[in-house]
């Protein structure tokens, strides 16, 4: 009988080349030249767990990972470094945007490469690991900044590290007195769920607050294997949050977004962030306007439990940080204000006496 914590490996191959995509029927031969140009700039990887979910190349799963000639078009507003990571990197591997937290990027490799990734020009098979010296410099930088209470491991995908390397990083971070929280952002539980085994779970052991933030964008990603990998993480008393990107053709309808949020809650994952798409080069075909996103969330207010309600956020281009986008239910046009209920009805707020003791 297979060990549910250490499942046997899947022996199929991750698709990485245009030739493999054509052979698997995901792209037509006549797109080969255009996709070769895409491949010159942006990596491709479609692991077996995701490949099995693709019904058509342009369905909500295929659209996320199958390269398209549309990526060759860069809109005027798109940026090489859309949220200003490079300008906020004091040493390699560190991004410091907020006083009390910092990103640590120990590698730039992912189990799959999202076609909308805001770091798409940095990540890829050649991204590799931070060298030992660079990692030591990054850890020393964190240790020398006592205002930092939280470190977010990102990249790339930190759960692509070997258990030995991951254990080393978690242990070193746990030894820094002022670091209280370690957060890991990952796609591995849905992209390569069998990777979440005993060795990886042991590497996450720490006396600090450890959180996993799962990136998934469509309910179909929460397969039985993915849910099992999440239960293995949760069995170690590690809470799991989610982050998703609002994407045209993936989760931009009330039914698809509702299904995703419900799937998270059913898997004991608290929806955390719904991101407005960052304007990385070649991603405009995924763009959903902010007002459309706000209206979309408004349709779900009252339809889904508050446990399933994410914060819809924009990472301000250039590096100024994340801000919530709403929707807003308060209308101050007359004193003391009015409130719109989830069904669109207006209600006057009761009069208050601000001068009362």
């Amino acid at each position: 009988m297979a060990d549910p914590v250490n499942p046997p490996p899947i022996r199929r191959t991750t698709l990485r080349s245009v030739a493999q995509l054509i052979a698997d029927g995901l792209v037509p031969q006549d797109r080969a030249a255009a996709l070769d140009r895409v491949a010159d700039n942006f990596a491709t990887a479609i692991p077996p767990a995701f490949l099995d979910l693709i019904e058509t190349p342009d369905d909500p799963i295929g659209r996320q990972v199958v390269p398209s000639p549309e990526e060759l078009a860069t809109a005027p507003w798109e940026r090489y470094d859309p949220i200003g990571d490079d300008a906020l990197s004091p040493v390699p591997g560190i991004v410091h945007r907020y006083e009390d937290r910092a990103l640590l990027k120990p590698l730039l490799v992912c189990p799959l490469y999202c076609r909308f990734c805001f770091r798409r020009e940095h990540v890829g098979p050649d991204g590799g690991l931070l060298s030992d010296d660079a990692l030591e410099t990054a850890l020393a930088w964190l240790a020398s900044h006592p205002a930092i209470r939280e470190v977010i491991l990102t990249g790339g995908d930190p759960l692509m590290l070997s258990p030995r390397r991951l254990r080393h990083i978690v242990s070193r971070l746990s030894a820094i007195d002022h670091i209280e929280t370690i957060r890991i952002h990952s796609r591995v539980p849905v992209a390569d769920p069998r990777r979440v085994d005993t060795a990886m779970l042991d590497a996450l052991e720490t006396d600090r607050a450890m959180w996993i933030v799962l990136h998934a964008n469509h309910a179909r990603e929460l397969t039985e294997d993915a849910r099992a990998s999440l239960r293995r993480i949760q069995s170690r008393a590690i809470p799991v949050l989610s982050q998703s990107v609002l994407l045209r053709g993936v989760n931009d309808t009330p039914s698809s977004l509702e299904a995703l949020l419900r799937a998270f809650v059913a898997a004991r994952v608290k929806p955390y962030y719904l991101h407005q798409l960052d304007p990385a080069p070649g991603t405009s075909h995924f763009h959903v306007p902010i007002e459309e996103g706000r209206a979309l969330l408004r349709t779900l207010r009252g339809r889904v439990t508050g446990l399933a309600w994410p914060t819809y956020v924009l990472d301000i281009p250039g590096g100024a940080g994340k801000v919530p986008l709403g929707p807003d239910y308060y209308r101050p046009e007359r004193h003391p204000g009015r409130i719109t209920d989830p069904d669109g009805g207006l209600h006057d707020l009761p009069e208050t006496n601000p001068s009362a003791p």
Side-chain angles (χ1 to χ4, degrees):
M1 180 180 295
D3 180 350
V5 181
N6 296 292
I10 297 175
R11 306 214 177 268
R12 295 170 60 200
T13 300
T14 294
L15 304 186
R16 298 186 183 276
S17 69
V18 174
Q20 288 176 313
L21 295 171
I22 293 171
D24 223 79
L26 291 176
V27 297
Q29 179 66 51
D30 61 9
R31 286 190 175 185
L35 293 179
D36 282 337
R37 295 199 300 276
V38 172
D40 288 339
N41 296 289
F42 309 122
T44 293
I46 307 176
F50 244 64
L51 184 60
D52 287 343
L53 299 179
I54 298 174
E55 296 172 352
T56 67
D58 199 42
D59 74 5
I61 305 300
R63 191 167 170 78
Q64 294 183 59
V65 293
V66 177
S68 164
E70 291 177 288
E71 297 174 48
L72 296 171
T74 299
W77 61 85
E78 292 176 345
R79 302 182 178 205
Y80 168 78
D81 181 23
I83 64 171
D85 276 0
D86 291 351
L88 297 167
S89 181
V91 298
I94 295 288
V95 177
H96 189 211
R97 179 174 283 107
Y98 305 105
E99 181 180 9
D100 73 331
R101 75 213 86 139
L103 305 183
L104 172 60
K105 299 188 289 185
L107 81 171
L108 294 173
V109 174
C110 297
L112 56 78
Y113 293 103
C114 300
R115 310 320 302 175
F116 49 86
C117 178
F118 70 95
R119 293 193 182 116
R120 64 200 318 250
E121 295 190 273
H122 295 283
V123 298
D126 297 331
L129 297 166
L130 275 183
S131 68
D132 289 344
D133 287 346
L135 178 60
E136 288 303 313
T137 298
L139 292 168
W141 188 93
L142 292 168
S144 69
H145 287 73
I148 294 174
R149 296 170 176 263
E150 179 179 10
V151 174
I152 298 101
L153 294 179
T154 182
D157 194 316
L159 297 190
M160 292 294 287
L161 292 165
S162 70
R164 181 196 60 78
R165 186 85 165 178
L166 183 59
R167 183 184 301 107
H168 172 71
I169 293 171
V170 170
S171 175
R172 291 291 301 278
L173 292 174
S174 302
I176 299 174
D177 288 342
H178 54 266
I179 293 177
E180 301 167 351
T181 302
I182 302 170
R183 193 193 328 165
I184 297 178
H185 289 190
S186 181
R187 207 120 157 71
V188 161
V190 294
D192 191 3
R194 292 171 179 242
R195 194 176 182 89
V196 183
D197 58 13
T198 297
M200 175 184 288
L201 296 170
D202 287 346
L204 298 178
E205 286 294 329
T206 176
D207 61 354
R208 306 306 161 101
M210 170 67 76
W211 297 73
I212 298 290
V213 180
L214 170 72
H215 176 187
N217 300 300
H218 194 270
R220 278 171 40 208
E221 296 177 50
L222 278 297
T223 63
E224 182 178 343
D225 281 348
R227 293 193 304 271
S229 76
L230 293 169
R231 286 194 297 272
R232 294 195 289 273
I233 292 169
Q234 292 156 345
S235 73
R236 297 296 183 103
I238 299 173
V240 184
L241 308 176
S242 78
Q243 60 177 345
S244 306
V245 183
L246 183 59
L247 299 167
R248 178 69 74 205
V250 176
N251 53 23
D252 61 330
T253 65
S255 60
S256 60
L257 186 57
E258 178 179 352
L260 172 63
L261 298 176
R262 291 189 182 280
F264 282 140
V265 173
R268 307 176 193 173
V269 175
K270 172 67 180 80
Y272 177 38
Y273 277 148
L274 175 65
H275 290 271
Q276 180 66 11
L277 179 71
D278 294 314
T283 62
S284 61
H285 53 294
F286 287 106
H287 177 71
V288 178
I290 289 173
E291 279 310 308
E292 188 175 331
R294 285 163 57 92
L296 179 60
L297 274 181
R298 192 176 291 113
T299 67
L300 298 184
R301 194 77 206 180
R303 277 176 54 179
V304 298
T305 171
L307 289 174
W309 194 256
T311 301
Y312 180 31
V313 293
L314 168 71
D315 220 326
I316 300 171
K322 293 185 185 71
V323 290
L325 294 174
D328 188 10
Y329 297 88
Y330 177 61
R331 299 179 61 176
E333 66 267 16
R334 70 186 194 198
H335 181 77
R338 311 180 88 189
I339 291 292
T340 304
D341 67 31
D343 295 321
L346 283 172
H347 305 266
D348 290 321
L349 290 175
E351 187 69 47
T352 59
N353 183 2
S355 63

PDB file of all heavy atoms in Angstrom, residues 21-41:
ATOM      1  N   LEU A  21       5.491  20.587 -26.478  1.00  0.00           N
ATOM      2  CA  LEU A  21       4.125  21.117 -26.501  1.00  0.00           C
ATOM      3  C   LEU A  21       3.400  20.706 -27.779  1.00  0.00           C
ATOM      4  O   LEU A  21       2.223  20.341 -27.744  1.00  0.00           O
ATOM      5  CB  LEU A  21       4.163  22.642 -26.398  1.00  0.00           C
ATOM      6  CG  LEU A  21       4.712  23.232 -25.093  1.00  0.00           C
ATOM      7  CD1 LEU A  21       4.888  24.741 -25.228  1.00  0.00           C
ATOM      8  CD2 LEU A  21       3.792  22.912 -23.918  1.00  0.00           C
ATOM      9  N   ILE A  22       4.104  20.736 -28.903  1.00  0.00           N
ATOM     10  CA  ILE A  22       3.501  20.327 -30.173  1.00  0.00           C
ATOM     11  C   ILE A  22       3.196  18.840 -30.154  1.00  0.00           C
ATOM     12  O   ILE A  22       2.102  18.400 -30.533  1.00  0.00           O
ATOM     13  CB  ILE A  22       4.445  20.684 -31.345  1.00  0.00           C
ATOM     14  CG1 ILE A  22       4.547  22.208 -31.493  1.00  0.00           C
ATOM     15  CG2 ILE A  22       3.958  20.039 -32.643  1.00  0.00           C
ATOM     16  CD1 ILE A  22       5.615  22.656 -32.477  1.00  0.00           C
ATOM     17  N   ALA A  23       4.149  18.045 -29.665  1.00  0.00           N
ATOM     18  CA  ALA A  23       3.950  16.587 -29.631  1.00  0.00           C
ATOM     19  C   ALA A  23       2.784  16.203 -28.742  1.00  0.00           C
ATOM     20  O   ALA A  23       2.089  15.208 -29.000  1.00  0.00           O
ATOM     21  CB  ALA A  23       5.236  15.910 -29.145  1.00  0.00           C
ATOM     22  N   ASP A  24       2.530  16.992 -27.702  1.00  0.00           N
ATOM     23  CA  ASP A  24       1.435  16.688 -26.781  1.00  0.00           C
ATOM     24  C   ASP A  24       0.119  17.284 -27.237  1.00  0.00           C
ATOM     25  O   ASP A  24      -0.895  17.137 -26.564  1.00  0.00           O
ATOM     26  CB  ASP A  24       1.779  17.201 -25.383  1.00  0.00           C
ATOM     27  CG  ASP A  24       1.410  16.197 -24.294  1.00  0.00           C
ATOM     28  OD1 ASP A  24       2.162  15.230 -24.089  1.00  0.00           O
ATOM     29  OD2 ASP A  24       0.357  16.368 -23.674  1.00  0.00           O
ATOM     30  N   GLY A  25       0.118  17.979 -28.362  1.00  0.00           N
ATOM     31  CA  GLY A  25      -1.112  18.540 -28.903  1.00  0.00           C
ATOM     32  C   GLY A  25      -1.577  19.819 -28.236  1.00  0.00           C
ATOM     33  O   GLY A  25      -2.729  20.237 -28.425  1.00  0.00           O
ATOM     34  N   LEU A  26      -0.683  20.477 -27.480  1.00  0.00           N
ATOM     35  CA  LEU A  26      -1.085  21.695 -26.782  1.00  0.00           C
ATOM     36  C   LEU A  26      -0.960  22.938 -27.651  1.00  0.00           C
ATOM     37  O   LEU A  26      -1.629  23.944 -27.384  1.00  0.00           O
ATOM     38  CB  LEU A  26      -0.256  21.875 -25.505  1.00  0.00           C
ATOM     39  CG  LEU A  26      -0.537  20.856 -24.401  1.00  0.00           C
ATOM     40  CD1 LEU A  26       0.405  21.062 -23.224  1.00  0.00           C
ATOM     41  CD2 LEU A  26      -1.988  20.953 -23.933  1.00  0.00           C
ATOM     42  N   VAL A  27      -0.089  22.899 -28.659  1.00  0.00           N
ATOM     43  CA  VAL A  27       0.025  24.016 -29.602  1.00  0.00           C
ATOM     44  C   VAL A  27       0.170  23.442 -30.999  1.00  0.00           C
ATOM     45  O   VAL A  27       0.751  22.358 -31.176  1.00  0.00           O
ATOM     46  CB  VAL A  27       1.226  24.940 -29.265  1.00  0.00           C
ATOM     47  CG1 VAL A  27       1.060  25.583 -27.903  1.00  0.00           C
ATOM     48  CG2 VAL A  27       2.540  24.186 -29.350  1.00  0.00           C
ATOM     49  N   PRO A  28      -0.325  24.147 -32.023  1.00  0.00           N
ATOM     50  CA  PRO A  28      -0.198  23.647 -33.398  1.00  0.00           C
ATOM     51  C   PRO A  28       1.201  23.905 -33.958  1.00  0.00           C
ATOM     52  O   PRO A  28       1.904  24.819 -33.526  1.00  0.00           O
ATOM     53  CB  PRO A  28      -1.259  24.453 -34.159  1.00  0.00           C
ATOM     54  CG  PRO A  28      -1.403  25.720 -33.377  1.00  0.00           C
ATOM     55  CD  PRO A  28      -1.164  25.356 -31.938  1.00  0.00           C
ATOM     56  N   GLN A  29       1.567  23.098 -34.924  1.00  0.00           N
ATOM     57  CA  GLN A  29       2.883  23.220 -35.548  1.00  0.00           C
ATOM     58  C   GLN A  29       3.111  24.606 -36.144  1.00  0.00           C
ATOM     59  O   GLN A  29       4.227  25.127 -36.115  1.00  0.00           O
ATOM     60  CB  GLN A  29       3.021  22.155 -36.647  1.00  0.00           C
ATOM     61  CG  GLN A  29       4.338  22.180 -37.397  1.00  0.00           C
ATOM     62  CD  GLN A  29       5.532  21.818 -36.521  1.00  0.00           C
ATOM     63  OE1 GLN A  29       5.503  20.793 -35.846  1.00  0.00           O
ATOM     64  NE2 GLN A  29       6.566  22.657 -36.524  1.00  0.00           N
ATOM     65  N   ASP A  30       2.039  25.228 -36.666  1.00  0.00           N
ATOM     66  CA  ASP A  30       2.241  26.510 -37.335  1.00  0.00           C
ATOM     67  C   ASP A  30       2.537  27.655 -36.365  1.00  0.00           C
ATOM     68  O   ASP A  30       2.800  28.781 -36.796  1.00  0.00           O
ATOM     69  CB  ASP A  30       1.048  26.856 -38.235  1.00  0.00           C
ATOM     70  CG  ASP A  30      -0.275  26.978 -37.474  1.00  0.00           C
ATOM     71  OD1 ASP A  30      -0.265  26.972 -36.220  1.00  0.00           O
ATOM     72  OD2 ASP A  30      -1.328  27.083 -38.142  1.00  0.00           O
ATOM     73  N   ARG A  31       2.497  27.391 -35.067  1.00  0.00           N
ATOM     74  CA  ARG A  31       2.868  28.412 -34.090  1.00  0.00           C
ATOM     75  C   ARG A  31       4.315  28.248 -33.608  1.00  0.00           C
ATOM     76  O   ARG A  31       4.776  29.019 -32.766  1.00  0.00           O
ATOM     77  CB  ARG A  31       1.947  28.348 -32.868  1.00  0.00           C
ATOM     78  CG  ARG A  31       0.549  28.894 -33.090  1.00  0.00           C
ATOM     79  CD  ARG A  31      -0.181  29.008 -31.769  1.00  0.00           C
ATOM     80  NE  ARG A  31      -1.466  29.639 -31.929  1.00  0.00           N
ATOM     81  CZ  ARG A  31      -2.271  29.953 -30.917  1.00  0.00           C
ATOM     82  NH1 ARG A  31      -1.898  29.673 -29.668  1.00  0.00           N
ATOM     83  NH2 ARG A  31      -3.433  30.530 -31.130  1.00  0.00           N
ATOM     84  N   ALA A  32       5.012  27.271 -34.132  1.00  0.00           N
ATOM     85  CA  ALA A  32       6.335  26.937 -33.601  1.00  0.00           C
ATOM     86  C   ALA A  32       7.297  28.123 -33.649  1.00  0.00           C
ATOM     87  O   ALA A  32       7.997  28.420 -32.674  1.00  0.00           O
ATOM     88  CB  ALA A  32       6.920  25.753 -34.373  1.00  0.00           C
ATOM     89  N   ALA A  33       7.350  28.831 -34.773  1.00  0.00           N
ATOM     90  CA  ALA A  33       8.304  29.928 -34.903  1.00  0.00           C
ATOM     91  C   ALA A  33       8.013  31.034 -33.890  1.00  0.00           C
ATOM     92  O   ALA A  33       8.929  31.563 -33.239  1.00  0.00           O
ATOM     93  CB  ALA A  33       8.283  30.478 -36.325  1.00  0.00           C
ATOM     94  N   ALA A  34       6.738  31.394 -33.750  1.00  0.00           N
ATOM     95  CA  ALA A  34       6.366  32.445 -32.789  1.00  0.00           C
ATOM     96  C   ALA A  34       6.664  32.004 -31.364  1.00  0.00           C
ATOM     97  O   ALA A  34       7.181  32.786 -30.549  1.00  0.00           O
ATOM     98  CB  ALA A  34       4.885  32.790 -32.945  1.00  0.00           C
ATOM     99  N   LEU A  35       6.379  30.741 -31.050  1.00  0.00           N
ATOM    100  CA  LEU A  35       6.613  30.263 -29.684  1.00  0.00           C
ATOM    101  C   LEU A  35       8.101  30.098 -29.390  1.00  0.00           C
ATOM    102  O   LEU A  35       8.514  30.207 -28.236  1.00  0.00           O
ATOM    103  CB  LEU A  35       5.860  28.952 -29.452  1.00  0.00           C
ATOM    104  CG  LEU A  35       4.337  29.096 -29.464  1.00  0.00           C
ATOM    105  CD1 LEU A  35       3.669  27.747 -29.250  1.00  0.00           C
ATOM    106  CD2 LEU A  35       3.866  30.095 -28.412  1.00  0.00           C
ATOM    107  N   ASP A  36       8.896  29.850 -30.420  1.00  0.00           N
ATOM    108  CA  ASP A  36      10.348  29.853 -30.216  1.00  0.00           C
ATOM    109  C   ASP A  36      10.816  31.232 -29.768  1.00  0.00           C
ATOM    110  O   ASP A  36      11.708  31.358 -28.930  1.00  0.00           O
ATOM    111  CB  ASP A  36      11.074  29.433 -31.496  1.00  0.00           C
ATOM    112  CG  ASP A  36      11.049  27.919 -31.719  1.00  0.00           C
ATOM    113  OD1 ASP A  36      10.870  27.178 -30.731  1.00  0.00           O
ATOM    114  OD2 ASP A  36      11.203  27.493 -32.886  1.00  0.00           O
ATOM    115  N   ARG A  37      10.198  32.287 -30.332  1.00  0.00           N
ATOM    116  CA  ARG A  37      10.553  33.646 -29.915  1.00  0.00           C
ATOM    117  C   ARG A  37      10.095  33.911 -28.482  1.00  0.00           C
ATOM    118  O   ARG A  37      10.805  34.568 -27.701  1.00  0.00           O
ATOM    119  CB  ARG A  37       9.952  34.675 -30.876  1.00  0.00           C
ATOM    120  CG  ARG A  37      10.518  34.595 -32.288  1.00  0.00           C
ATOM    121  CD  ARG A  37      10.274  35.867 -33.083  1.00  0.00           C
ATOM    122  NE  ARG A  37       8.851  36.175 -33.241  1.00  0.00           N
ATOM    123  CZ  ARG A  37       8.078  35.667 -34.182  1.00  0.00           C
ATOM    124  NH1 ARG A  37       8.588  34.784 -35.052  1.00  0.00           N
ATOM    125  NH2 ARG A  37       6.816  36.016 -34.273  1.00  0.00           N
ATOM    126  N   VAL A  38       8.928  33.394 -28.122  1.00  0.00           N
ATOM    127  CA  VAL A  38       8.473  33.510 -26.728  1.00  0.00           C
ATOM    128  C   VAL A  38       9.469  32.810 -25.807  1.00  0.00           C
ATOM    129  O   VAL A  38       9.864  33.343 -24.758  1.00  0.00           O
ATOM    130  CB  VAL A  38       7.058  32.912 -26.557  1.00  0.00           C
ATOM    131  CG1 VAL A  38       6.669  32.864 -25.073  1.00  0.00           C
ATOM    132  CG2 VAL A  38       6.028  33.709 -27.348  1.00  0.00           C
ATOM    133  N   ALA A  39       9.901  31.609 -26.215  1.00  0.00           N
ATOM    134  CA  ALA A  39      10.821  30.821 -25.384  1.00  0.00           C
ATOM    135  C   ALA A  39      12.178  31.491 -25.219  1.00  0.00           C
ATOM    136  O   ALA A  39      12.890  31.202 -24.243  1.00  0.00           O
ATOM    137  CB  ALA A  39      10.991  29.427 -25.980  1.00  0.00           C
ATOM    138  N   ASP A  40      12.539  32.370 -26.131  1.00  0.00           N
ATOM    139  CA  ASP A  40      13.803  33.096 -25.988  1.00  0.00           C
ATOM    140  C   ASP A  40      13.790  34.010 -24.766  1.00  0.00           C
ATOM    141  O   ASP A  40      14.851  34.396 -24.270  1.00  0.00           O
ATOM    142  CB  ASP A  40      14.088  33.934 -27.239  1.00  0.00           C
ATOM    143  CG  ASP A  40      14.479  33.081 -28.439  1.00  0.00           C
ATOM    144  OD1 ASP A  40      14.905  31.923 -28.226  1.00  0.00           O
ATOM    145  OD2 ASP A  40      14.345  33.566 -29.581  1.00  0.00           O
ATOM    146  N   ASN A  41      12.595  34.375 -24.311  1.00  0.00           N
ATOM    147  CA  ASN A  41      12.463  35.330 -23.206  1.00  0.00           C
ATOM    148  C   ASN A  41      11.853  34.739 -21.942  1.00  0.00           C
ATOM    149  O   ASN A  41      12.192  35.166 -20.838  1.00  0.00           O
ATOM    150  CB  ASN A  41      11.607  36.523 -23.646  1.00  0.00           C
ATOM    151  CG  ASN A  41      12.248  37.326 -24.753  1.00  0.00           C
ATOM    152  OD1 ASN A  41      13.236  38.009 -24.526  1.00  0.00           O
ATOM    153  ND2 ASN A  41      11.696  37.232 -25.955  1.00  0.00           N
TER     154      ASN A  41
END
